[in-house]
Amino acid sequence: MSYDPQNIFARIIAELIPCNKVYEDANTLAFYDIAPKAPVHILVVPKGPYMDFEDYVAHAPAQEISGFFQTVSKLAQELGIAESGYRLITNKGEHSGQEVPHFHVHLLGGAPLPLW
Ligand code: 5GP
């Protein structure tokens, strides 16, 4: 399987589709999920063409991966959920139900979350 450059997050990164942006830098974009599952539910997305977590870890430069997760942490703090707690989710592949084939991390919090 190869990366689909027409996927919805690629189109958001290219500014072909609008999003409710929380953060952006050269490598990363973060925006609110269109169908939130918690009071705070954002998606943190590298701008590069990575299909999923496996692809990202295998092919992104180590410094970029490190910066990406530092950004996730910074956003949790800035959104006021670092202390109360939050959940990170990344879906990979068919059995996970991954809907959008561009690597992303869900950052959820703002209230007690159901176990599953
Ligand atoms: P996945 O199942 O791939 O991990 O999650 C994809 C997420 O993207 C879902 O939570 C879904 O609500 C969100 N999503 C799908 N399309 C859009 C969109 O056009 N804009 C935004 N902001 N979120 C989207």
Side-chain angles (χ1 to χ4, degrees):
M1 198 170 64
S2 60
Y3 181 78
D4 169 15
Q6 298 304 322
N7 79 75
I8 193 115
F9 291 172
R11 292 160 63 83
I12 287 174
I13 291 163
E15 299 184 339
L16 298 171
I17 296 176
C19 69
N20 190 354
K21 194 193 300 183
V22 180
Y23 173 83
E24 181 169 22
D25 66 24
N27 296 320
T28 307
L29 180 66
F31 51 91
Y32 283 95
D33 195 294
I34 205 168
K37 308 288 190 300
V40 175
H41 183 178
I42 67 165
L43 302 166
V44 192
V45 178
K47 291 184 175 176
Y50 305 106
M51 291 181 287
D52 55 34
F53 178 70
E54 292 288 322
D55 189 18
Y56 187 59
V57 167
H59 298 114
Q63 210 174 342
E64 190 182 319
I65 295 172
S66 161
F68 178 84
F69 285 101
Q70 284 167 8
T71 295
V72 173
S73 164
K74 191 176 84 174
L75 288 170
Q77 291 167 34
E78 287 178 2
L79 291 165
I81 59 173
E83 198 151 319
S84 50
Y86 57 83
R87 181 173 297 157
L88 301 181
I89 295 175
T90 188
N91 291 313
K92 184 263 180 288
E94 189 183 342
H95 281 190
S96 74
Q98 181 180 1
E99 186 186 315
V100 180
H102 181 113
F103 171 59
H104 53 281
V105 168
H106 298 251
L107 170 59
L108 301 119
L113 301 171
L115 283 182
W116 281 116

